[in-house]
Amino acid sequence: MTFILSHQVLDDILQKHRIKSNDLAAIDRLFGGADGYYWYHTLRHMCPRKEVMVWGSQEDMRAAVQGHENETAAEDEVKPQQLKDEHLAAIASHLKLAS
């Protein structure tokens, strides 16, 4: 399965669900519950604007997202958050390409 990330994809997800970018509670729910907004923001931050990231498997996507989290946490000298299964499932459901 292929997963695709871009700022446009994230914007389209919010638009599809009629969620405004400042509705943190709705984004939390959409992206797996508590801390869903955190992971949504992580996705926006890790993907350069006007670029597209593509992964060939859910595990590749998990590794990329967690790797980005680990790197930014190290830069900020804080403990990285761990991507929970519920967040990964929600992210995967939104980023997977229809086949």
Side-chain angles (χ1 to χ4, degrees):
M1 181 157 298
T2 302
F3 300 89
I4 185 167
L5 172 65
S6 71
H7 283 253
Q8 186 61 55
V9 166
L10 292 172
D11 292 344
D12 291 348
I13 291 166
L14 295 186
Q15 185 177 14
K16 175 182 174 185
H17 293 276
R18 296 185 175 146
I19 296 174
K20 295 188 184 305
S21 61
N22 63 351
D23 189 344
L24 278 56
I27 294 172
D28 258 356
R29 288 188 299 275
L30 192 62
F31 282 85
D35 293 327
Y37 180 81
Y38 180 87
W39 292 107
Y40 165 81
H41 184 71
T42 298
L43 294 170
R44 287 194 81 85
H45 186 261
M46 73 182 280
C47 186
R49 190 169 284 288
K50 305 220 186 244
E51 290 191 28
V52 176
M53 300 177 84
V54 178
W55 299 281
S57 74
Q58 186 169 313
E59 284 309 309
D60 288 346
M61 181 179 62
R62 176 193 278 271
V65 174
Q66 189 64 60
H68 178 78
E69 169 63 11
N70 295 348
E71 287 176 24
T72 58
E75 290 170 6
D76 295 339
E77 298 179 355
V78 297
K79 183 179 176 184
Q81 288 201 37
Q82 295 304 306
L83 183 60
K84 295 180 181 173
D85 290 341
E86 57 267 26
H87 296 120
L88 179 64
I91 291 167
S93 73
H94 296 304
L95 300 185
K96 71 180 175 188
L97 288 177
S99 48

